[in-house]
Amino acid sequence: MPEVKLRYPEADLHCHTSASDGLLTPWELVKQAAELGLKAVGITDHDTLSGWEKASQAGKHFNVDILRGVELNTEWAGVEVHILGYEMNPQGTILEDKLSELREARFKRVYTIIEKLQDLGIPIQKAEVERITKGESVGRPHIAQVLVDKGIVNSIAEAFDRYIGTGGPAYVPRLKITPEEGIVLIRKAGGVAVLAHPGIYKLEKGIEQWVKAGLQGVEVSHSEHTLEDEKKYRAIAKEYGLLMTGGSDFHGEKRKPGVRLGGWGTTYGVVEEIRNLANLACSHHI
């Protein structure tokens, strides 16, 4: 029987590296993208731009185009809303200061979660989480990984379900910014603002107001979207004249089992559209 070769899109625009809560370094991720035949990847770590430089170096080495990005976690009506920003020029903007504030809040949140877990009798230490945090942005997946490694839970998902997810006994709310604030931060830094995986939280009712705030795109293809989700958000994107992007939300097999790099994505033309919008923003000094 002939070997079935997996077909990949040209570009995976939603990838996490060890600069935040991904398992692969920026260099390793770009190398893997090249091996898969991807033309471009978006480096979209949580609240940090620190993976950009190494990814860009790897991109030149492996001939993979790098779309420089970030993922901001915001909240609307008690629901998480993730905003992807692409091709910002953050120097001299409030984005740099806000990202630093968000990263500091992440560490405080993680340490408070660890204390709550200790109060529950779970033997977890700050040093254990710090040891596996390779970048400058820390998150609950790092705690979950330690709980898996220590045999307290069997999977990342179980750690969230039993302990650290919303409503769990060790849950701690994050520092909240609104989707509008996130979009404005990205736009003022000359970037392109895209709504990430809206199908997970059923965010269609918020899109009109976020478009008014400056939203420019919707992530249509995503590892947690159903075909019905894709159809729905493709139609909404057309209605509002938004870019349609796509990405796997790759973190590494141990962090997100079954979510493979390049398994979801878009055409290279979308990369060019994003760059054109960013260049236009730069020329108009947004």
Side-chain angles (χ1 to χ4, degrees):
M1 193 171 176
E3 182 183 349
V4 177
K5 188 174 182 181
L6 290 171
R7 294 178 62 192
Y8 290 92
E10 292 180 314
D12 183 341
L13 302 185
H14 191 161
C15 304
H16 295 271
T17 76
S18 57
S20 63
D21 57 352
L23 288 177
L24 301 184
T25 66
W27 185 276
E28 290 168 339
L29 188 144
V30 176
K31 180 176 184 287
Q32 190 173 124
E35 291 168 351
L36 294 170
L38 291 170
K39 291 183 179 180
V41 291
I43 303 299
T44 54
D45 283 306
H46 297 282
D47 300 333
T48 181
L49 317 178
S50 63
W52 284 8
E53 186 178 353
K54 289 293 185 185
S56 295
Q57 291 170 1
K60 290 174 184 175
H61 182 82
F62 295 109
N63 196 29
V64 174
D65 199 355
I66 305 301
L67 203 61
R68 301 173 305 157
V70 71
E71 185 170 18
L72 302 179
N73 293 24
T74 75
E75 188 169 307
W76 166 71
V79 178
E80 283 199 26
V81 179
H82 294 194
I83 305 294
L84 296 165
Y86 295 107
E87 293 297 291
M88 292 82 62
N89 181 20
Q91 283 75 24
T93 71
I94 57 172
L95 178 62
E96 279 188 310
D97 292 337
K98 179 55 74 173
L99 290 178
S100 178
E101 180 186 344
L102 290 170
R103 289 194 300 270
E104 185 177 340
R106 278 178 170 274
F107 273 97
K108 288 180 180 176
R109 182 192 194 200
V110 160
Y111 291 154
T112 305
I113 291 172
I114 290 169
E115 289 169 3
K116 284 196 166 199
L117 288 169
Q118 290 170 343
D119 289 343
L120 292 168
I122 295 169
I124 182 172
Q125 304 299 323
K126 290 180 184 179
E128 293 173 312
V129 176
E130 290 168 349
R131 199 173 299 127
I132 65 165
T133 304
K134 306 297 183 184
E136 63 180 13
S137 183
V138 68
R140 287 179 296 168
H142 293 106
I143 296 174
Q145 189 64 59
V146 172
L147 295 179
V148 171
D149 293 344
K150 292 172 77 74
I152 295 162
V153 295
N154 294 317
S155 67
I156 300 286
E158 186 185 346
F160 275 81
D161 290 342
R162 286 183 59 188
Y163 297 113
I164 62 176
T166 306
Y171 176 74
V172 174
R174 72 174 78 252
L175 174 66
K176 296 178 177 66
I177 65 171
T178 68
E180 289 86 350
E181 287 174 315
I183 290 164
V184 169
L185 282 168
I186 290 162
R187 294 296 303 273
K188 284 192 172 179
V192 177
V194 173
L195 177 62
H197 44 63
I200 297 177
Y201 302 109
K202 310 303 178 192
L203 300 175
E204 52 270 23
K205 290 182 180 177
I207 290 176
E208 183 176 1
Q209 70 191 67
W210 301 328
V211 169
K212 290 176 181 174
L215 185 72
Q216 295 155 288
V218 174
E219 188 174 52
V220 172
S221 171
H222 183 270
S223 53
E224 293 188 62
H225 276 187
T226 64
L227 290 176
E228 197 58 39
D229 287 332
E230 286 197 26
K231 184 179 177 183
K232 178 196 297 182
Y233 292 105
R234 195 173 294 279
I236 291 173
K238 284 181 180 176
E239 179 184 352
Y240 290 102
L242 300 171
L243 280 173
M244 296 180 223
T245 75
S248 62
D249 207 351
F250 176 78
H251 285 68
E253 180 62 25
K254 283 177 73 176
R255 291 276 158 85
K256 281 202 170 186
V259 178
R260 65 186 187 278
L261 181 64
W264 295 261
T266 188
T267 64
Y268 184 75
V270 173
V271 175
E272 294 174 323
E273 288 183 79
I274 290 172
R275 287 240 169 82
N276 288 340
L277 279 177
N279 289 336
L280 190 65
C282 188
S283 66
H284 283 78
H285 305 289
I286 290 179

